[in-house]
mmCIF file of all heavy atoms in Angstrom:
data_model
loop_
_atom_site.group_PDB
_atom_site.id
_atom_site.type_symbol
_atom_site.label_atom_id
_atom_site.label_comp_id
_atom_site.label_asym_id
_atom_site.label_seq_id
_atom_site.Cartn_x
_atom_site.Cartn_y
_atom_site.Cartn_z
ATOM 1 N N GLY K 136 -42.661 7.874 53.591
ATOM 2 C CA GLY K 136 -41.853 6.916 54.326
ATOM 3 C C GLY K 136 -42.081 5.507 53.806
ATOM 4 O O GLY K 136 -42.498 5.296 52.669
ATOM 5 N N LYS K 137 -41.813 4.534 54.642
ATOM 6 C CA LYS K 137 -41.961 3.134 54.282
ATOM 7 C C LYS K 137 -43.393 2.654 54.552
ATOM 8 O O LYS K 137 -44.128 3.246 55.336
ATOM 9 C CB LYS K 137 -40.969 2.273 55.063
ATOM 10 C CG LYS K 137 -39.511 2.562 54.747
ATOM 11 C CD LYS K 137 -39.160 2.170 53.310
ATOM 12 C CE LYS K 137 -37.659 2.327 53.051
ATOM 13 N NZ LYS K 137 -37.292 1.895 51.691
ATOM 14 N N THR K 138 -43.753 1.563 53.906
ATOM 15 C CA THR K 138 -45.087 0.982 54.051
ATOM 16 C C THR K 138 -44.996 -0.345 54.782
ATOM 17 O O THR K 138 -44.157 -1.194 54.455
ATOM 18 C CB THR K 138 -45.728 0.756 52.666
ATOM 19 O OG1 THR K 138 -45.842 2.005 51.991
ATOM 20 C CG2 THR K 138 -47.100 0.120 52.800
ATOM 21 N N PHE K 139 -45.862 -0.523 55.774
ATOM 22 C CA PHE K 139 -45.974 -1.792 56.475
ATOM 23 C C PHE K 139 -47.366 -2.359 56.264
ATOM 24 O O PHE K 139 -48.355 -1.622 56.255
ATOM 25 C CB PHE K 139 -45.710 -1.614 57.975
ATOM 26 C CG PHE K 139 -44.253 -1.406 58.312
ATOM 27 C CD1 PHE K 139 -43.676 -0.150 58.208
ATOM 28 C CD2 PHE K 139 -43.465 -2.466 58.715
ATOM 29 C CE1 PHE K 139 -42.338 0.046 58.497
ATOM 30 C CE2 PHE K 139 -42.122 -2.277 59.011
ATOM 31 C CZ PHE K 139 -41.563 -1.021 58.910
ATOM 32 N N ILE K 140 -47.440 -3.670 56.078
ATOM 33 C CA ILE K 140 -48.709 -4.341 55.832
ATOM 34 C C ILE K 140 -49.043 -5.252 57.006
ATOM 35 O O ILE K 140 -48.208 -6.035 57.461
ATOM 36 C CB ILE K 140 -48.650 -5.165 54.532
ATOM 37 C CG1 ILE K 140 -48.477 -4.233 53.337
ATOM 38 C CG2 ILE K 140 -49.913 -6.015 54.362
ATOM 39 C CD1 ILE K 140 -48.324 -4.946 52.010
ATOM 40 N N PHE K 141 -50.279 -5.134 57.500
ATOM 41 C CA PHE K 141 -50.794 -5.980 58.574
ATOM 42 C C PHE K 141 -52.002 -6.738 58.037
ATOM 43 O O PHE K 141 -52.889 -6.143 57.427
ATOM 44 C CB PHE K 141 -51.227 -5.138 59.776
ATOM 45 C CG PHE K 141 -50.111 -4.353 60.413
ATOM 46 C CD1 PHE K 141 -49.690 -3.147 59.873
ATOM 47 C CD2 PHE K 141 -49.487 -4.829 61.545
ATOM 48 C CE1 PHE K 141 -48.658 -2.426 60.451
ATOM 49 C CE2 PHE K 141 -48.452 -4.119 62.135
ATOM 50 C CZ PHE K 141 -48.033 -2.908 61.591
ATOM 51 N N GLU K 142 -52.064 -8.038 58.266
ATOM 52 C CA GLU K 142 -53.205 -8.820 57.805
ATOM 53 C C GLU K 142 -53.425 -10.021 58.715
ATOM 54 O O GLU K 142 -52.499 -10.523 59.360
ATOM 55 C CB GLU K 142 -53.001 -9.284 56.365
ATOM 56 C CG GLU K 142 -51.766 -10.131 56.167
ATOM 57 C CD GLU K 142 -51.512 -10.475 54.707
ATOM 58 O OE1 GLU K 142 -52.274 -9.965 53.856
ATOM 59 O OE2 GLU K 142 -50.585 -11.245 54.428
ATOM 60 N N LEU K 143 -54.673 -10.469 58.753
ATOM 61 C CA LEU K 143 -55.015 -11.668 59.503
ATOM 62 C C LEU K 143 -54.942 -12.878 58.595
ATOM 63 O O LEU K 143 -55.470 -12.864 57.476
ATOM 64 C CB LEU K 143 -56.432 -11.551 60.094
ATOM 65 C CG LEU K 143 -56.628 -10.509 61.192
ATOM 66 C CD1 LEU K 143 -58.104 -10.419 61.571
ATOM 67 C CD2 LEU K 143 -55.781 -10.829 62.414
ATOM 68 N N ASN K 144 -54.284 -13.952 59.072
ATOM 69 C CA ASN K 144 -54.219 -15.173 58.277
ATOM 70 C C ASN K 144 -55.438 -16.051 58.561
ATOM 71 O O ASN K 144 -56.357 -15.648 59.288
ATOM 72 C CB ASN K 144 -52.910 -15.932 58.539
ATOM 73 C CG ASN K 144 -52.747 -16.336 60.000
ATOM 74 O OD1 ASN K 144 -53.731 -16.467 60.741
ATOM 75 N ND2 ASN K 144 -51.509 -16.526 60.421
ATOM 76 N N GLU K 145 -55.470 -17.245 57.992
ATOM 77 C CA GLU K 145 -56.634 -18.117 58.132
ATOM 78 C C GLU K 145 -56.865 -18.550 59.571
ATOM 79 O O GLU K 145 -57.989 -18.893 59.947
ATOM 80 C CB GLU K 145 -56.464 -19.351 57.238
ATOM 81 C CG GLU K 145 -56.467 -19.022 55.748
ATOM 82 C CD GLU K 145 -56.280 -20.263 54.894
ATOM 83 O OE1 GLU K 145 -56.056 -21.347 55.479
ATOM 84 O OE2 GLU K 145 -56.363 -20.137 53.656
ATOM 85 N N GLU K 146 -55.817 -18.532 60.386
ATOM 86 C CA GLU K 146 -55.950 -18.886 61.807
ATOM 87 C C GLU K 146 -56.274 -17.670 62.661
ATOM 88 O O GLU K 146 -56.257 -17.721 63.892
ATOM 89 C CB GLU K 146 -54.666 -19.547 62.320
ATOM 90 C CG GLU K 146 -54.408 -20.945 61.789
ATOM 91 C CD GLU K 146 -53.922 -20.918 60.347
ATOM 92 O OE1 GLU K 146 -53.187 -19.962 59.984
ATOM 93 O OE2 GLU K 146 -54.296 -21.834 59.585
ATOM 94 N N ASN K 147 -56.564 -16.548 62.009
ATOM 95 C CA ASN K 147 -56.911 -15.301 62.695
ATOM 96 C C ASN K 147 -55.740 -14.745 63.500
ATOM 97 O O ASN K 147 -55.932 -14.028 64.487
ATOM 98 C CB ASN K 147 -58.139 -15.476 63.593
ATOM 99 C CG ASN K 147 -58.949 -14.206 63.705
ATOM 100 O OD1 ASN K 147 -59.046 -13.435 62.752
ATOM 101 N ND2 ASN K 147 -59.531 -13.974 64.860
ATOM 102 N N ASN K 148 -54.527 -15.065 63.081
ATOM 103 C CA ASN K 148 -53.329 -14.507 63.692
ATOM 104 C C ASN K 148 -52.826 -13.358 62.832
ATOM 105 O O ASN K 148 -52.972 -13.375 61.597
ATOM 106 C CB ASN K 148 -52.234 -15.574 63.823
ATOM 107 C CG ASN K 148 -52.615 -16.667 64.791
ATOM 108 O OD1 ASN K 148 -53.190 -16.391 65.844
ATOM 109 N ND2 ASN K 148 -52.322 -17.915 64.436
#
Side-chain angles (χ1 to χ4, degrees):
K137 296 293 186 177
T138 300
F139 286 83
I140 295 176
F141 298 81
E142 59 185 4
L143 292 174
N144 60 24
E145 294 179 355
E146 289 75 35
N147 211 34
N148 294 319

